Amino acid sequence: MSSEDEYTDSGAEHEPDDSDISSDSDSVQSEDDSQVDLDLENPGEEDDEIVNANPWMRVYPEEQEGEDDLVFNQNSGPQNIPDNCQHPVDYFLLFFTIELLNTLVTQTNNYAKKFIDEKLATLKHKSMVRHWKDVTVTEMKAFIAIILNMGLCRKPTIFAYWSKTRSQHCSWYHDVMGRHRFQLILKLFHFVRTSLPTPGQPGYDPCARFAPLVEVANDRFKYYYKPRQELSVDESLIGTKNKTQLIQYMPNKHHHQWGIKLWVLCESVTAYVVAFFVYKGKRGAADDEGGLGLGHKVVIKLLNMANLLRKGYHVFVDNFFSSIGLARELFSARTYLTGTIRRNRKGLPALVKTQLQPGESAYSRQGNLLACSFREKKNQKNPVIMISTKSKATSRVIQTRRRGAEGPIEVRKPDVILQYNKYMGGVDCSDMMLYCYLDERRTLKYWKKVAFTLISRMVVNSYIIYSQRAPRRVMTRYKFTTQVVDGLAKDALEIRDTPPGPSSSITIIQIPDKKERECSVCSDPKGAGRKRSRTMCSVCQKGLHGTCLHQHKCKKLQK
């Protein structure tokens, strides 16, 4: 992970060469747990003496396996799920709560009122905003349903979803909500009060616009699910190029290179997101306070947010986060750490920094901390270096494929590397699940892009909980998301899908003076073209062909 713009590690500390030191692994003693200050607001300075408290001792495979120092006895899986939670939309509403919906409706209506009061004099005569009516909870649920369904059925523009052309027409969007109403709600969509500090003013927070959603998500994610022992920490990027101080450039990302970065704590097995927060950049906080480094503070903060310290969890990180100090601090908080580590980190033994032959590995131990280096192939310039407070100096023969080789070949790899490869990809797997059905349409406001992405992540987490509670065959995630959409739009469809009965007074009448009007059903100025009629609806007096009468929905009768 490239992060030169965020964090620069101090140079490697010189240590005496211990490549000639050897000792039986059974004779290596674990040092006592020490109390470490975990308060992120007032972090203590890293104690350099802890690095050299015990010397690094070279160990050889196969190191004898023993009982784990930290016991994990948590009851993992879904927790506190109501008995009436059966339908997919019920699982989604565990996270996107009714209280959040009410807040969203209230703040959207408040912002609409303020916007109209301030802009009324400058609004165009035909502006849709002039026809604003307060949004209801039913409409807001229908709006969220449309946003989610746009990720399932992707089209190039918003107009395309309400197209009337025969080849592109989809009646569901028409039935749930009109295009003008959808665009109005999208324009005035708000989570918080409007009188917030703007950029450059004291107290400005770039995350304030979507802060209620982040708070509810983090609270609900940890309340309804207790993760398995293996956790992974990594970054996730919400792709956008909007002008904001939150923007980050990450050239090693393939899906997006520009965007807003989230630090994410994820369960490695199911890819369930346990906790996350937004990275505000160097201006957002004193990231290097205490000399611990950004990666160190991120891991501790995420574990504190999820309340997972001192419970025997095992955290997997990459070389941006890992350090000797972090491993010591987490072990003192009864939490394991495994991860790759950069060669210039302080406290690493010289043995694991030396050059190795292809297929060769080296192990060194200091108390509970194991350092391992391994060079797999000849074209690998430097060996990969790992640290772990859980693994032993053991290895295993596995089958792998190599370019140019006929069939699989056998390779011996350290167990710490195999374990890392197995459990490190939780966040990447969660992102992969998210992007499959995420509508990444550009928005004028960056915070709306963040909000819609977090709502989609709620759908992913709700599916993971459903899949572990389903008594019979588990439905696919596509079908699950479809049923969430149908459940959210159900009330709106019941209101709008009431066709005029046979006793209604709708008839076709001639337009006076042989004039013509556009047919309210089949005319499409931006698609198939305008279609005019010399007849109209007798109630709403909109242009209407006789052949279109059965498709006409008279708004006056619906009122």
Side-chain angles (χ1 to χ4, degrees), residues 18 21 28 31 51-58 364-367:
D18 59 354
I21 301 176
V28 178
E31 61 188 13
V51 175
N52 298 316
N54 291 331
W56 284 97
M57 308 293 288
R58 183 169 186 174
S364 187
R365 178 173 291 281
Q366 186 185 64

Side-chain angles (χ1 to χ4, degrees), residues 164-381:
K164 294 182 180 179
T165 59
R166 181 173 296 180
S167 61
Q168 301 300 317
H169 178 69
C170 179
S171 62
W172 184 85
Y173 295 94
H174 296 262
D175 296 339
V176 173
M177 184 179 292
R179 177 174 60 83
H180 287 176
R181 183 62 172 170
F182 173 82
Q183 290 182 299
L184 260 182
I185 297 175
L186 179 62
K187 178 181 179 66
L188 302 173
F189 185 80
H190 258 69
F191 276 104
V192 294
R193 58 187 176 86
T194 56
S195 55
L196 291 174
T198 57
Q201 293 182 346
Y204 170 69
D205 182 6
C207 302
R209 297 290 181 185
F210 54 86
L213 185 61
V214 174
E215 182 179 352
V216 170
N218 277 310
D219 181 61
R220 299 288 91 184
F221 286 173
K222 67 181 179 182
Y223 179 75
Y224 287 115
Y225 192 85
K226 188 168 290 186
R228 294 176 173 87
Q229 185 178 21
E230 294 80 12
L231 306 171
S232 61
V233 174
D234 209 344
E235 82 281 348
S236 178
L237 202 66
I238 300 175
T240 180
K241 290 187 178 180
N242 291 60
K243 187 177 180 181
T244 169
Q245 74 177 55
L246 299 176
I247 201 76
Q248 296 288 313
Y249 176 61
M250 302 184 67
N252 62 323
K253 292 290 184 181
H254 299 292
H255 192 72
H256 293 293
Q257 294 183 333
W258 294 90
I260 297 172
K261 183 191 290 186
L262 305 180
W263 300 116
V264 183
L265 173 66
C266 194
E267 185 192 72
S268 298
V269 178
T270 63
Y272 182 92
V273 173
V274 183
F276 68 93
F277 66 93
V278 178
Y279 177 53
K280 298 181 182 180
K282 290 186 177 180
R283 292 175 291 182
D287 294 325
D288 214 14
E289 185 181 352
L292 299 177
L294 174 61
H296 185 119
K297 295 184 66 177
V298 165
V299 175
I300 298 296
K301 181 175 181 179
L302 285 171
L303 291 170
N304 274 324
M305 288 173 61
N307 194 25
L308 297 181
L309 288 172
R310 298 181 176 87
K311 296 181 180 179
Y313 281 96
H314 189 181
V315 183
F316 292 82
V317 297
D318 62 23
N319 60 17
F320 173 77
F321 303 93
S322 61
S323 65
I324 301 296
L326 177 62
R328 295 289 185 197
E329 184 169 344
L330 286 181
F331 193 81
S332 70
R334 303 193 62 79
T335 304
Y336 292 115
L337 176 79
T338 296
T340 56
I341 188 168
R342 297 174 182 175
R343 298 170 61 86
N344 62 350
R345 295 291 196 192
K346 287 183 178 180
L348 276 178
L351 173 65
V352 298
K353 299 179 184 180
T354 57
Q355 193 59 258
L356 301 175
Q357 296 298 320
E360 186 181 0
S361 59
Y363 303 88
S364 187
R365 178 173 291 281
Q366 186 185 64
N368 300 103
L369 183 59
L370 176 73
C372 167
S373 63
F374 175 67
R375 185 183 181 192
E376 182 177 2
K377 296 177 289 185
K378 185 177 180 180
N379 59 0
Q380 183 179 340
K381 183 178 179 181

Side-chain angles (χ1 to χ4, degrees), residues 386-519:
M386 307 281 299
I387 60 171
S388 177
T389 52
K390 181 175 173 61
S391 298
K392 303 294 182 181
T394 56
S395 59
R396 193 187 323 163
V397 175
I398 63 168
Q399 288 189 342
T400 186
R401 293 184 178 274
R402 295 274 178 84
R403 183 179 299 177
E406 296 181 0
I409 61 174
E410 292 187 346
V411 177
R412 178 174 290 276
K413 285 188 177 182
D415 282 337
V416 62
I417 291 180
L418 297 176
Q419 197 174 34
Y420 176 85
N421 291 340
K422 182 178 180 180
Y423 293 117
M424 181 56 206
V427 177
D428 292 336
C429 182
S430 178
D431 285 347
M432 180 184 66
M433 296 171 68
L434 174 71
Y435 291 139
C436 284
Y437 305 126
L438 176 65
D439 180 41
E440 299 185 271
R441 195 176 309 279
R442 291 181 297 176
T443 58
L444 292 177
K445 303 294 184 180
Y446 69 90
W447 63 266
K448 292 183 182 179
K449 184 72 172 289
V450 176
F452 297 148
T453 302
L454 295 183
I455 292 172
S456 295
R457 198 171 290 273
M458 288 178 173
V459 177
V460 175
N461 269 11
S462 61
Y463 175 75
I464 293 172
I465 290 182
Y466 152 78
S467 63
Q468 296 196 25
R469 295 186 76 245
R472 294 182 295 274
R473 184 176 179 180
V474 179
M475 69 177 73
T476 63
R477 195 159 57 87
Y478 178 86
K479 186 176 180 180
F480 177 89
T481 308
T482 301
Q483 293 196 16
V484 170
V485 170
D486 292 339
L488 291 173
K490 180 180 178 181
D491 294 341
L493 286 171
E494 289 178 354
I495 294 175
R496 289 176 58 87
D497 273 358
T498 305
S503 61
S504 65
S505 57
I506 290 184
T507 57
I508 296 294
I509 61 175
Q510 290 288 331
I511 300 176
D513 302 328
K514 296 184 178 181
K515 293 183 178 180
E516 295 181 347
R517 295 181 183 178
E518 289 188 26
C519 179

Side-chain angles (χ1 to χ4, degrees), residues 46-186:
E46 185 176 4
D47 188 4
D48 292 335
E49 294 181 359
I50 198 171
V51 175
N52 298 316
N54 291 331
W56 284 97
M57 308 293 288
R58 183 169 186 174
V59 292
Y60 295 91
E62 300 288 322
E63 191 177 16
Q64 185 176 356
E65 295 279 355
E67 293 185 1
D68 289 342
D69 299 293
L70 310 179
V71 179
F72 178 79
N73 54 9
Q74 301 296 311
N75 185 21
S76 303
Q79 309 283 328
N80 307 311
I81 308 297
D83 294 335
N84 60 353
C85 192
Q86 302 294 334
H87 193 273
V89 73
D90 298 331
Y91 288 95
F92 173 71
L93 292 177
L94 293 176
F95 304 122
F96 200 81
T97 61
I98 298 299
E99 292 78 15
L100 184 61
L101 265 172
N102 289 330
T103 300
L104 185 54
V105 169
T106 301
Q107 297 300 337
T108 299
N109 289 332
N110 290 344
Y111 177 69
K113 184 178 183 301
K114 180 182 178 181
F115 182 87
I116 293 172
D117 291 342
E118 293 178 352
K119 305 288 185 179
L120 185 62
T122 58
L123 287 175
K124 294 182 179 180
H125 179 68
K126 294 185 178 181
S127 174
M128 295 185 296
V129 180
R130 290 182 177 273
H131 306 289
W132 170 261
K133 294 180 181 179
D134 281 355
V135 66
T136 63
V137 172
T138 299
E139 277 189 306
M140 189 57 70
K141 288 168 69 176
F143 174 81
I144 299 299
I146 292 175
I147 292 292
L148 295 176
N149 205 35
M150 285 179 171
L152 298 175
C153 310
R154 298 180 184 178
K155 293 191 177 184
T157 64
I158 290 180
F159 294 94
Y161 290 97
W162 280 267
S163 173
K164 294 182 180 179
T165 59
R166 181 173 296 180
S167 61
Q168 301 300 317
H169 178 69
C170 179
S171 62
W172 184 85
Y173 295 94
H174 296 262
D175 296 339
V176 173
M177 184 179 292
R179 177 174 60 83
H180 287 176
R181 183 62 172 170
F182 173 82
Q183 290 182 299
L184 260 182
I185 297 175
L186 179 62

